[in-house]
Amino acid sequence: MNWSAEAPANIALIKYMGKSADNIPLNPSLSFTLDKFKTRVEFDLLEGANQDEWDASQNINEADQVRFLKHLSFLKETFGIKENFRVRSQNDFPSHCGLASSASSFAALTLCAAKAASELKGADFTDPTKVNLLSRKGSGSSCRSFFKPFALWDVEGARPIELCGIKFLHQVVVVDAARKEISSSEAHKRVLTSRLWNGRPERARNRLEKLVEALKHNSWKDAYEITWDEFWDMHELFETSAPSFGYMKDSSQRVLKLVRELWNTEGDGPLVTMDAGPNVHLLYREDQRELCNQFRIQKLGDYVVLGEGER
Ligand code: PMV
């Protein structure tokens, strides 16, 4: 017997940064689901084995293997699964560089375990309103990957949220695909030492309310300014932590400058945000498709751009 599940990554517009035990967020967050950035997880049932194992074809570092299998143990215990599995996990995009691969990996792993449990136990365990809560324990941001196009996550769990009829086009400018040196788990701890931490959950909450209003009323420029302030807030927390750290590169700054110039000259442009990494995410409205293509070709020509109009 075997099972498989796919789950997408997501990019936060209002960030989850700072958490208490079991990945309970210190502030609510809002994300856009990245349908083109997926992880696929597969399980083969292992007859007669006494533990789960990775498929030999997998090239995954040891710390990641341990974290993944630990979450699988938690899921098996929760679902009452006694059987063991051979596990495979494959991303269709670069991992660990701020493209939210832990969100898609843990969401896909949780869903795959829920599918296996459903068949082995003869009951449906795949309800996303419940599964997201389990996924959160493996990686907080993964709980938002169960809903689209937008997900809102607060202490009660993640859920879909209606924001606007606009279809978003997503691009990520990959200025560096190397593995990041400071993991997001470490970032969550360090930001609490920042001199700028004071008031952070309230700032995020206020921006969330304003962003929801802006998107509901199609106030695109307001949405751009709010998301701009929000990712800078998170990166400033990184830079002012003790010890200080950061992900921003000269090349990230060059891309941000291009976006700012576009807004300053045209009075319009994409929303822009960055995760805990050096890469820059751009979100366009569907009616900006031409701008999206032109900007990529004329201004971002030297960079690798994934997502809409990929190259
Ligand atoms: O899910 P984690 O623990 O890897 O946290 C990641 C949090 C950020 O990606 C930096 C921001 C977010 O809200 O996705």
Side-chain angles (χ1 to χ4, degrees):
M1 288 171 100
N2 46 57
W3 298 271
S4 67
E6 279 190 350
N10 67 78
I11 179 70
L13 299 176
I14 301 297
K15 311 295 182 184
Y16 153 55
M17 191 36 63
K19 61 180 180 182
S20 52
D22 271 349
N23 298 338
I24 300 288
L26 298 182
N27 64 269
S29 57
L30 177 76
S31 61
F32 176 70
T33 299
L34 305 179
D35 273 335
K36 290 192 174 173
F37 293 70
K38 288 207 174 93
T39 300
R40 179 181 174 84
V41 168
E42 295 170 345
F43 294 168
D44 298 331
L45 186 67
L46 283 177
E47 305 283 356
N50 53 15
Q51 59 182 22
D52 301 308
E53 62 182 44
W54 279 98
D55 191 280
S57 66
Q58 297 279 283
N59 181 16
I60 295 177
N61 89 24
E62 206 174 321
D64 290 342
Q65 293 191 16
V66 169
R67 189 173 162 212
F68 213 65
L69 291 189
K70 191 171 161 223
H71 187 57
L72 177 55
S73 294
F74 157 75
L75 294 166
K76 284 170 54 177
E77 204 182 312
T78 306
F79 293 128
I81 299 177
K82 299 270 179 290
E83 291 78 355
N84 292 305
F85 305 118
R86 179 176 298 119
V87 180
R88 283 181 294 279
S89 172
Q90 193 69 46
N91 289 348
D92 61 7
F93 60 97
S95 317
H96 302 294
C97 55
L99 302 185
S101 57
S102 81
S104 54
S105 312
F106 280 84
L109 171 61
T110 307
L111 194 55
C112 198
K115 283 185 171 179
S118 301
E119 191 170 343
L120 293 168
K121 301 271 162 199
D124 184 9
F125 291 104
T126 60
D127 178 353
T129 63
K130 298 201 171 104
V131 174
N132 86 83
L133 297 170
L134 300 176
S135 196
R136 187 203 76 212
K137 297 205 181 198
S139 153
S141 56
S142 72
C143 69
R144 297 185 308 232
S145 284
F146 291 87
F147 306 100
K148 62 179 196 178
F150 299 100
L152 175 67
W153 172 30
D154 59 22
V155 283
E156 276 146 36
R159 55 188 175 279
I161 174 170
E162 273 294 316
L163 286 180
C164 53
I166 301 170
K167 185 175 171 246
F168 278 30
L169 310 177
H170 168 258
Q171 285 179 333
V172 56
V173 188
V174 183
V175 301
D176 188 352
R179 190 184 175 95
K180 55 190 184 191
E181 281 168 23
I182 304 286
S183 68
S184 44
S185 311
E186 177 64 20
H188 281 290
K189 289 186 204 144
R190 287 224 207 149
V191 289
L192 304 178
T193 67
S194 162
R195 294 176 290 282
L196 302 179
W197 173 258
N198 197 13
R200 163 63 196 167
E202 292 73 30
R203 292 198 295 280
R205 231 171 263 127
N206 286 340
R207 281 194 199 112
L208 174 62
E209 268 175 36
K210 288 191 176 132
L211 183 59
V212 167
E213 280 307 296
L215 290 172
K216 280 191 172 161
H217 295 99
N218 293 334
S219 306
W220 192 251
K221 185 157 191 285
D222 290 344
Y224 162 68
E225 287 169 357
I226 296 162
T227 46
W228 178 273
D229 293 354
E230 171 64 4
F231 83 78
W232 276 111
D233 191 349
M234 182 174 78
H235 280 258
E236 280 165 6
L237 290 174
F238 300 154
E239 301 285 347
T240 53
S241 289
S244 158
F245 65 105
Y247 302 98
M248 194 69 73
K249 302 223 170 219
D250 290 350
S251 42
S252 325
Q253 299 262 20
R254 279 200 290 279
V255 175
L256 295 175
K257 191 160 171 266
L258 289 170
V259 179
R260 183 167 52 201
E261 279 165 4
L262 179 70
W263 271 95
N264 288 347
T265 52
E266 305 294 323
D268 196 13
L271 307 187
V272 55
T273 191
M274 293 176 68
D275 204 59
N279 302 312
V280 182
H281 293 257
L282 304 174
L283 290 161
Y284 301 82
R285 307 183 303 268
E286 190 167 31
D287 68 87
Q288 291 177 311
R289 187 176 285 277
E290 207 179 310
L291 173 71
C292 164
N293 287 332
Q294 298 231 324
F295 192 61
R296 178 178 61 77
I297 294 162
Q298 291 173 8
K299 303 284 186 189
L300 301 173
D302 292 341
Y303 296 102
V304 174
V305 179
L306 303 178
E308 201 62 45
E310 192 160 313
R311 56 174 215 98

PDB file of all heavy atoms in Angstrom, residues 16-33:
ATOM      1  N   TYR A  16       4.218  35.878  10.603  1.00  0.00           N
ATOM      2  CA  TYR A  16       4.265  35.134  11.869  1.00  0.00           C
ATOM      3  C   TYR A  16       5.714  35.212  12.330  1.00  0.00           C
ATOM      4  O   TYR A  16       6.596  34.630  11.708  1.00  0.00           O
ATOM      5  CB  TYR A  16       3.819  33.709  11.553  1.00  0.00           C
ATOM      6  CG  TYR A  16       4.323  32.586  12.426  1.00  0.00           C
ATOM      7  CD1 TYR A  16       4.150  32.596  13.811  1.00  0.00           C
ATOM      8  CD2 TYR A  16       4.934  31.470  11.849  1.00  0.00           C
ATOM      9  CE1 TYR A  16       4.589  31.514  14.587  1.00  0.00           C
ATOM     10  CE2 TYR A  16       5.363  30.393  12.616  1.00  0.00           C
ATOM     11  CZ  TYR A  16       5.195  30.428  13.983  1.00  0.00           C
ATOM     12  OH  TYR A  16       5.623  29.369  14.743  1.00  0.00           O
ATOM     13  N   MET A  17       5.996  35.963  13.349  1.00  0.00           N
ATOM     14  CA  MET A  17       7.362  36.050  13.852  1.00  0.00           C
ATOM     15  C   MET A  17       7.289  36.242  15.356  1.00  0.00           C
ATOM     16  O   MET A  17       6.804  37.264  15.833  1.00  0.00           O
ATOM     17  CB  MET A  17       8.092  37.201  13.133  1.00  0.00           C
ATOM     18  CG  MET A  17       9.581  37.277  13.342  1.00  0.00           C
ATOM     19  SD  MET A  17      10.529  35.717  13.465  1.00  0.00           S
ATOM     20  CE  MET A  17      10.346  34.903  11.886  1.00  0.00           C
ATOM     21  N   GLY A  18       7.759  35.257  16.095  1.00  0.00           N
ATOM     22  CA  GLY A  18       7.623  35.224  17.548  1.00  0.00           C
ATOM     23  C   GLY A  18       6.526  34.217  17.867  1.00  0.00           C
ATOM     24  O   GLY A  18       5.434  34.273  17.285  1.00  0.00           O
ATOM     25  N   LYS A  19       6.859  33.262  18.761  1.00  0.00           N
ATOM     26  CA  LYS A  19       5.884  32.199  19.051  1.00  0.00           C
ATOM     27  C   LYS A  19       6.064  31.728  20.478  1.00  0.00           C
ATOM     28  O   LYS A  19       7.109  31.943  21.092  1.00  0.00           O
ATOM     29  CB  LYS A  19       6.085  31.033  18.084  1.00  0.00           C
ATOM     30  CG  LYS A  19       7.464  30.390  18.181  1.00  0.00           C
ATOM     31  CD  LYS A  19       7.602  29.251  17.196  1.00  0.00           C
ATOM     32  CE  LYS A  19       8.974  28.612  17.280  1.00  0.00           C
ATOM     33  NZ  LYS A  19       9.200  27.554  16.338  1.00  0.00           N
ATOM     34  N   SER A  20       5.028  31.064  21.010  1.00  0.00           N
ATOM     35  CA  SER A  20       5.188  30.389  22.292  1.00  0.00           C
ATOM     36  C   SER A  20       5.195  28.880  22.020  1.00  0.00           C
ATOM     37  O   SER A  20       5.272  28.460  20.859  1.00  0.00           O
ATOM     38  CB  SER A  20       4.109  30.839  23.277  1.00  0.00           C
ATOM     39  OG  SER A  20       2.846  30.701  22.708  1.00  0.00           O
ATOM     40  N   ALA A  21       5.079  28.070  23.082  1.00  0.00           N
ATOM     41  CA  ALA A  21       5.219  26.624  22.924  1.00  0.00           C
ATOM     42  C   ALA A  21       4.262  26.080  21.868  1.00  0.00           C
ATOM     43  O   ALA A  21       3.178  26.634  21.648  1.00  0.00           O
ATOM     44  CB  ALA A  21       4.938  25.955  24.269  1.00  0.00           C
ATOM     45  N   ASP A  22       4.662  24.988  21.211  1.00  0.00           N
ATOM     46  CA  ASP A  22       3.832  24.320  20.204  1.00  0.00           C
ATOM     47  C   ASP A  22       3.497  25.207  19.013  1.00  0.00           C
ATOM     48  O   ASP A  22       2.444  25.048  18.373  1.00  0.00           O
ATOM     49  CB  ASP A  22       2.522  23.831  20.840  1.00  0.00           C
ATOM     50  CG  ASP A  22       2.672  22.437  21.403  1.00  0.00           C
ATOM     51  OD1 ASP A  22       3.711  21.794  21.111  1.00  0.00           O
ATOM     52  OD2 ASP A  22       1.769  22.006  22.120  1.00  0.00           O
ATOM     53  N   ASN A  23       4.364  26.165  18.754  1.00  0.00           N
ATOM     54  CA  ASN A  23       4.167  27.062  17.598  1.00  0.00           C
ATOM     55  C   ASN A  23       2.854  27.837  17.657  1.00  0.00           C
ATOM     56  O   ASN A  23       2.171  27.999  16.645  1.00  0.00           O
ATOM     57  CB  ASN A  23       4.254  26.291  16.275  1.00  0.00           C
ATOM     58  CG  ASN A  23       5.604  25.657  16.062  1.00  0.00           C
ATOM     59  OD1 ASN A  23       6.590  26.103  16.654  1.00  0.00           O
ATOM     60  ND2 ASN A  23       5.667  24.641  15.244  1.00  0.00           N
ATOM     61  N   ILE A  24       2.508  28.297  18.846  1.00  0.00           N
ATOM     62  CA  ILE A  24       1.358  29.204  18.956  1.00  0.00           C
ATOM     63  C   ILE A  24       1.873  30.610  18.632  1.00  0.00           C
ATOM     64  O   ILE A  24       2.825  31.086  19.254  1.00  0.00           O
ATOM     65  CB  ILE A  24       0.757  29.190  20.387  1.00  0.00           C
ATOM     66  CG1 ILE A  24       0.283  27.789  20.764  1.00  0.00           C
ATOM     67  CG2 ILE A  24      -0.359  30.222  20.527  1.00  0.00           C
ATOM     68  CD1 ILE A  24      -0.964  27.308  20.074  1.00  0.00           C
ATOM     69  N   PRO A  25       1.276  31.266  17.624  1.00  0.00           N
ATOM     70  CA  PRO A  25       1.824  32.557  17.187  1.00  0.00           C
ATOM     71  C   PRO A  25       1.534  33.680  18.188  1.00  0.00           C
ATOM     72  O   PRO A  25       0.487  33.667  18.837  1.00  0.00           O
ATOM     73  CB  PRO A  25       1.075  32.816  15.873  1.00  0.00           C
ATOM     74  CG  PRO A  25      -0.216  32.085  16.015  1.00  0.00           C
ATOM     75  CD  PRO A  25       0.071  30.875  16.869  1.00  0.00           C
ATOM     76  N   LEU A  26       2.453  34.632  18.269  1.00  0.00           N
ATOM     77  CA  LEU A  26       2.224  35.786  19.153  1.00  0.00           C
ATOM     78  C   LEU A  26       1.388  36.858  18.462  1.00  0.00           C
ATOM     79  O   LEU A  26       0.991  37.829  19.098  1.00  0.00           O
ATOM     80  CB  LEU A  26       3.563  36.370  19.634  1.00  0.00           C
ATOM     81  CG  LEU A  26       4.416  35.400  20.456  1.00  0.00           C
ATOM     82  CD1 LEU A  26       5.699  36.067  20.927  1.00  0.00           C
ATOM     83  CD2 LEU A  26       3.637  34.852  21.652  1.00  0.00           C
ATOM     84  N   ASN A  27       1.185  36.690  17.164  1.00  0.00           N
ATOM     85  CA  ASN A  27       0.284  37.615  16.453  1.00  0.00           C
ATOM     86  C   ASN A  27      -0.386  36.858  15.301  1.00  0.00           C
ATOM     87  O   ASN A  27       0.150  35.849  14.825  1.00  0.00           O
ATOM     88  CB  ASN A  27       1.048  38.830  15.904  1.00  0.00           C
ATOM     89  CG  ASN A  27       2.077  38.465  14.849  1.00  0.00           C
ATOM     90  OD1 ASN A  27       3.237  38.216  15.150  1.00  0.00           O
ATOM     91  ND2 ASN A  27       1.659  38.404  13.596  1.00  0.00           N
ATOM     92  N   PRO A  28      -1.545  37.323  14.850  1.00  0.00           N
ATOM     93  CA  PRO A  28      -2.166  36.672  13.686  1.00  0.00           C
ATOM     94  C   PRO A  28      -1.384  37.002  12.413  1.00  0.00           C
ATOM     95  O   PRO A  28      -0.725  38.047  12.356  1.00  0.00           O
ATOM     96  CB  PRO A  28      -3.571  37.286  13.643  1.00  0.00           C
ATOM     97  CG  PRO A  28      -3.477  38.559  14.394  1.00  0.00           C
ATOM     98  CD  PRO A  28      -2.333  38.444  15.355  1.00  0.00           C
ATOM     99  N   SER A  29      -1.449  36.131  11.435  1.00  0.00           N
ATOM    100  CA  SER A  29      -0.744  36.389  10.166  1.00  0.00           C
ATOM    101  C   SER A  29      -1.676  36.108   8.984  1.00  0.00           C
ATOM    102  O   SER A  29      -2.695  35.428   9.133  1.00  0.00           O
ATOM    103  CB  SER A  29       0.520  35.536  10.078  1.00  0.00           C
ATOM    104  OG  SER A  29       0.194  34.169  10.206  1.00  0.00           O
ATOM    105  N   LEU A  30      -1.283  36.653   7.853  1.00  0.00           N
ATOM    106  CA  LEU A  30      -2.106  36.534   6.635  1.00  0.00           C
ATOM    107  C   LEU A  30      -1.195  36.138   5.487  1.00  0.00           C
ATOM    108  O   LEU A  30      -0.136  36.753   5.307  1.00  0.00           O
ATOM    109  CB  LEU A  30      -2.747  37.892   6.330  1.00  0.00           C
ATOM    110  CG  LEU A  30      -3.587  37.976   5.068  1.00  0.00           C
ATOM    111  CD1 LEU A  30      -4.940  37.303   5.286  1.00  0.00           C
ATOM    112  CD2 LEU A  30      -3.816  39.431   4.666  1.00  0.00           C
ATOM    113  N   SER A  31      -1.602  35.128   4.712  1.00  0.00           N
ATOM    114  CA  SER A  31      -0.712  34.672   3.634  1.00  0.00           C
ATOM    115  C   SER A  31      -1.456  34.462   2.328  1.00  0.00           C
ATOM    116  O   SER A  31      -2.680  34.294   2.307  1.00  0.00           O
ATOM    117  CB  SER A  31      -0.044  33.360   4.036  1.00  0.00           C
ATOM    118  OG  SER A  31      -1.033  32.375   4.259  1.00  0.00           O
ATOM    119  N   PHE A  32      -0.654  34.446   1.270  1.00  0.00           N
ATOM    120  CA  PHE A  32      -1.134  34.091  -0.066  1.00  0.00           C
ATOM    121  C   PHE A  32      -0.514  32.739  -0.407  1.00  0.00           C
ATOM    122  O   PHE A  32       0.696  32.535  -0.230  1.00  0.00           O
ATOM    123  CB  PHE A  32      -0.708  35.157  -1.079  1.00  0.00           C
ATOM    124  CG  PHE A  32      -1.082  34.816  -2.488  1.00  0.00           C
ATOM    125  CD1 PHE A  32      -2.411  34.825  -2.885  1.00  0.00           C
ATOM    126  CD2 PHE A  32      -0.109  34.472  -3.419  1.00  0.00           C
ATOM    127  CE1 PHE A  32      -2.772  34.486  -4.192  1.00  0.00           C
ATOM    128  CE2 PHE A  32      -0.458  34.135  -4.727  1.00  0.00           C
ATOM    129  CZ  PHE A  32      -1.790  34.151  -5.105  1.00  0.00           C
ATOM    130  N   THR A  33      -1.343  31.833  -0.897  1.00  0.00           N
ATOM    131  CA  THR A  33      -0.888  30.463  -1.161  1.00  0.00           C
ATOM    132  C   THR A  33      -0.242  30.368  -2.544  1.00  0.00           C
ATOM    133  O   THR A  33      -0.794  30.869  -3.531  1.00  0.00           O
ATOM    134  CB  THR A  33      -2.088  29.510  -1.021  1.00  0.00           C
ATOM    135  OG1 THR A  33      -2.541  29.652   0.325  1.00  0.00           O
ATOM    136  CG2 THR A  33      -1.720  28.069  -1.275  1.00  0.00           C
TER     137      THR A  33
END
